[in-house]
Amino acid sequence: MAEIGQTAPVFNLPRDGGGEISLSDLRGKPVVVYFYPKDDTPGCTKQAIGFTDLLPDFKAAGADIIGISKDTVAKHDKFIAKHELGVILASDEEGKTCEDYGVWVEKNMYGRKYMGIERATFLIDANGQIAQVWRKVKVPGHVDAVLDAVKAL
């Protein structure tokens, strides 16, 4: 499980629009990596729109934002087009990156247990170290809290 002070687990994943995104390619600036359960669901949509709305502020602070779920690149592309999203979305279909960050967890809904992605955000500093972790994220106010943490780096 990825924790504050550790070197962030590296990844190289397919991304929206084709190509790949690699954490190591972004070294030298802060990176916000947020994990979310599924494209185009209410909470995930609000979160992605929230990050998109504040993207100019994140960019002004020198940070990139990457959203990761197990959805396919094709689903990411539809999600981005439907909601005019500006954040990078990466596809972790095999779930290795989710496991590396400790966000592939057992969930319980209405008494039914299943495995899924825990909504979590990691702030990685310019040196590749995890500076802040938010687990079991509640969407309201979260994007602002992440932006404040980026600005404090």
Side-chain angles (χ1 to χ4, degrees):
M1 183 175 296
E3 298 294 343
I4 292 172
Q6 294 179 341
T7 298
V10 294
F11 56 81
N12 190 33
L13 295 170
R15 65 163 288 180
D16 59 275
E20 295 188 334
I21 186 78
S22 171
L23 184 60
S24 55
D25 290 345
L26 302 173
R27 186 79 35 98
K29 57 182 162 179
V31 181
V32 174
V33 178
Y34 76 95
F35 291 86
Y36 65 99
K38 193 160 179 53
D39 287 345
D40 218 15
T41 54
C44 298
T45 300
K46 284 179 185 150
Q47 187 176 23
I49 289 170
F51 276 120
T52 295
D53 287 348
L54 292 183
L55 193 57
D57 298 311
F58 281 96
K59 292 289 185 194
D64 282 323
I65 302 172
I66 303 169
I68 300 176
S69 77
K70 291 184 78 171
D71 289 306
T72 64
V73 169
K75 284 185 180 175
H76 283 341
D77 287 339
K78 287 178 187 172
F79 185 39
I80 287 170
K82 180 176 179 180
H83 299 285
E84 299 178 358
L85 302 176
V87 294
I88 296 167
L89 297 182
S91 174
D92 185 28
E93 284 186 82
E94 295 175 12
K96 182 183 180 327
T97 302
C98 292
E99 289 180 16
D100 288 348
Y101 279 81
V103 300
W104 185 248
V105 299
E106 184 176 85
K107 294 177 150 189
N108 189 348
M109 186 182 290
Y110 306 117
R112 184 178 71 91
K113 291 185 187 299
Y114 63 97
M115 295 300 289
I117 295 175
E118 172 186 78
R119 190 181 309 279
T121 302
F122 297 81
L123 174 56
I124 301 163
D125 70 18
N127 299 315
Q129 302 296 308
I130 298 173
Q132 185 78 38
V133 178
W134 295 264
R135 294 194 178 273
K136 298 184 180 177
V137 167
K138 303 291 184 230
V139 174
H142 177 64
V143 173
D144 291 315
V146 175
L147 180 59
D148 289 345
V150 167
K151 288 177 177 178
L153 276 182

